[in-house]
Amino acid sequence: MITVWIGISIGLVVLLLIAMNWKRQYVFILTITHSTLKLTHGQVNEEFFEDVQRICKLFNVAEGQIKAVQGRKGVNLICTGSIKSQQRALQNALNHPI
């Protein structure tokens, strides 16, 4: 009977640890409010930051958020708000800076 309780306890601890680490870990988060770009989490290089500013100005983006998560083949971007339609341009700027 005691081995059953130990097994259940270990299983619950493992599930708890998995649940705690389930949240995505963002490499960086860029926030655009009132046409102003601001880094709110992590670090980005200056070239990418300037490219994002140019893209936002070119497409008149006033609101949105760009989140980067580490993927199997590099960093993937998740965009929300009015910047979402320019996600491909942003991914290109990240992978191939000007």
Side-chain angles (χ1 to χ4, degrees), residues 30-80:
L30 294 169
T31 304
I32 306 142
T33 53
H34 306 295
S35 299
T36 304
L37 182 65
K38 185 171 103 175
L39 179 66
T40 54
H41 175 76
Q43 296 179 357
V44 295
N45 60 23
E46 189 64 31
E47 293 83 18
F48 178 68
F49 192 83
E50 290 173 1
D51 285 346
V52 173
Q53 283 181 323
R54 282 189 219 112
I55 291 169
C56 291
K57 186 176 180 182
L58 179 67
F59 293 103
N60 297 319
V61 175
E63 304 290 329
Q65 200 170 44
I66 304 163
K67 298 177 183 179
V69 293
Q70 191 66 41
R72 289 186 214 158
K73 296 182 180 181
V75 176
N76 296 321
L77 297 180
I78 301 168
C79 299
T80 59

Side-chain angles (χ1 to χ4, degrees), residues 73-92:
K73 296 182 180 181
V75 176
N76 296 321
L77 297 180
I78 301 168
C79 299
T80 59
S82 59
I83 191 78
K84 188 172 177 85
S85 58
Q86 280 73 39
Q87 186 168 346
R88 187 71 232 156
L90 294 167
Q91 189 72 49
N92 287 340

